Amino acid sequence: MVVDNFAKRRWELEEGIEPLVPVATLHRRVRSWHEVTGKAIELRVGDLCNHRFVYSLFETFRPDAIIHYGEQPSAPYSMQSRETAVYSQTNNIVGNMNVLFAMQKYCSGSHLVKLGTMGEYGTPNIDIEEGWLNVTHNGRTDRMLYPKKPGSFYHLSKVHDSNNIEFTCRIWGTRATDLNQGVVYGIDTDQTQLDPALGTSFHYDDVFGTVLNRFLVQAAVGMPLTVYGKGGQTRGFLNIRDTIACVTLAVDNPAQKGEFRVFNQFTEQFSVNDLANMVKAAAGRAGRAVEIAHLPNPRVELEEHYYNAKHSALSDLGLKPHLLTDAVLDQMFARVCANSSTVDPTVFQPRVRWSA
Ligand code: USQ
């Protein structure tokens, strides 16, 4: 079963932005999936913030596993105004709590696979562990949730979700996997390539576009790459193909009853400057000259910092990463160039500032 309330399509209208390639209706996508794979997916339209809707889903469908992707995912969106900050947190936190309560009521043995973010940790000056930290304080030791220093109201909403999920694991015996995902890039997966209607949403605007996707589109239309500040900001990254593999691994190897399991879901670390240089080189190989611009940083974040995040749990389960090689970059760049005739260059400049 797939459940959607089409909120992303509404936010696109609010912001005046479009994905690089139009996304077919969900009904059409479900039909295409059935045609190409023979597998049927039940489709329901509704809002996770309406607990009666969520309860009715869980009561009738009784899922074995819930893959919860249904949240507002953008840091800039959440930092636009009081309204978008409050909305991001209520939408994400209330929706997640309704899922937890529905699980408890109708399928307490089921497994929640929840999309979290590496941004929950921020950029601490110590190694980042996978969710938990053994702390020795005044001679005593305990296993604590890793301390969080998120960088936006959006990232904070995910911290609150993690706390709520860990609480229900401890108190109700919920089984849950929190996928602390890094920044995703890429346009195709094996599944999206089965039919054009299965294509996923690829954003390059300042609100929903992630950094590498933005740089590829900027290079494709000959605009300077928008590095914010010094560009030493370092994050964990993963190919969109690996996001799907990670969810599959989590579902196939469920958490134990009462276990709050955290996977740091990324495959490589890069700085923003690394990515800009890689895209410039890829464009050069395709015969296009690209400039790198250093814009005043619209965000409040460290631009030069220590970053060393552990990410062995998913490899231990068998993840075979698709790394960001020149060949992968060249392929993505060619795909973006082939679809660049309708690109809107007015959405490259960042419009949302973290502070006045
Ligand atoms: N950046 C630039 N230039 C740009 C866009 C971004 O220099 O044109 C910089 C940002 O300042 C930041 C870094 O690139 O330092 C990453 O920014 P991003 O917009 O690609 O990603 P972020 O805001 O961190 O959020 C994205 C997803 C979010 C997910 C998160 C994973 O939108 O849903 O949770 O990546 S993580 O970053 O690990 O928290």
Side-chain angles (χ1 to χ4, degrees), residues 81 95 104 118 169 173 187 222 224 227 248 277-278 289-290 300 309 323 338-339:
S81 65
Q104 162 74 348
M118 284 301 292
C169 291
I187 187 162
V227 172
T248 307
N277 289 325
M278 288 162 91
V290 166
V300 177
L323 300 178
N339 289 282

Side-chain angles (χ1 to χ4, degrees), residues 210-264:
T210 53
V211 61
L212 179 55
N213 288 355
R214 274 167 61 72
F215 287 174
L216 288 166
V217 178
Q218 291 162 358
V221 297
M223 300 286 283
L225 309 186
T226 56
V227 172
Y228 297 166
K230 292 185 185 141
Q233 302 93 308
T234 301
R235 302 284 184 272
F237 287 81
L238 77 165
N239 191 306
I240 192 166
R241 291 175 185 278
D242 291 334
T243 69
I244 306 303
C246 292
V247 170
T248 307
L249 285 170
V251 171
D252 289 347
N253 301 275
Q256 300 299 309
K257 190 169 166 45
E259 183 187 8
F260 176 65
R261 185 174 63 167
V262 182
F263 292 162
N264 289 349

Side-chain angles (χ1 to χ4, degrees), residues 71-76 115-122 151-152 154-155 158 180-184 204-215 218 225-238 265-266 270-273 275 293 295 297-303 305 307 348-350 354:
E71 299 202 333
Q72 194 297 98
S74 160
L115 186 65
T117 173
M118 284 301 292
E120 292 187 32
Y121 304 114
S152 72
Y154 150 70
H155 288 100
K158 298 276 189 182
N180 279 354
Q181 183 163 270
V183 187
V184 178
Y204 59 89
D205 59 86
D206 59 323
V207 173
F208 291 105
T210 53
V211 61
L212 179 55
N213 288 355
R214 274 167 61 72
F215 287 174
Q218 291 162 358
L225 309 186
T226 56
V227 172
Y228 297 166
K230 292 185 185 141
Q233 302 93 308
T234 301
R235 302 284 184 272
F237 287 81
L238 77 165
Q265 183 169 313
F266 69 95
F270 297 108
S271 72
V272 171
N273 284 332
L275 297 175
L295 309 181
N297 196 336
R299 307 186 183 196
V300 177
E301 61 184 354
L302 296 178
E303 294 175 5
H305 57 89
Y307 198 76
F348 290 146
Q349 291 299 310
W354 263 226

Side-chain angles (χ1 to χ4, degrees), residues 8-85:
K8 183 80 174 284
R9 296 174 197 242
R10 195 184 70 233
W11 305 325
E12 288 169 356
L13 291 169
E14 276 175 22
E15 300 292 330
I17 51 149
E18 287 172 319
L20 183 68
V21 179
V23 176
T25 64
L26 186 57
H27 292 73
R28 170 86 205 282
R29 289 157 68 76
V30 164
R31 264 201 317 277
S32 301
W33 181 251
H34 192 197
E35 279 160 24
V36 294
T37 65
K39 292 178 185 161
I41 300 176
E42 204 175 313
L43 189 171
R44 298 280 189 90
V45 177
D47 187 349
L48 296 184
C49 289
N50 175 352
H51 77 274
R52 288 182 205 284
F53 169 70
V54 183
Y55 279 14
S56 81
L57 291 178
F58 279 61
E59 187 177 10
T60 51
F61 192 75
R62 309 248 170 193
D64 298 314
I66 300 107
I67 300 164
H68 179 15
Y69 265 45
E71 299 202 333
Q72 194 297 98
S74 160
Y77 185 89
S78 76
M79 296 300 288
Q80 279 179 128
S81 65
R82 188 202 67 83
E83 281 77 10
T84 60

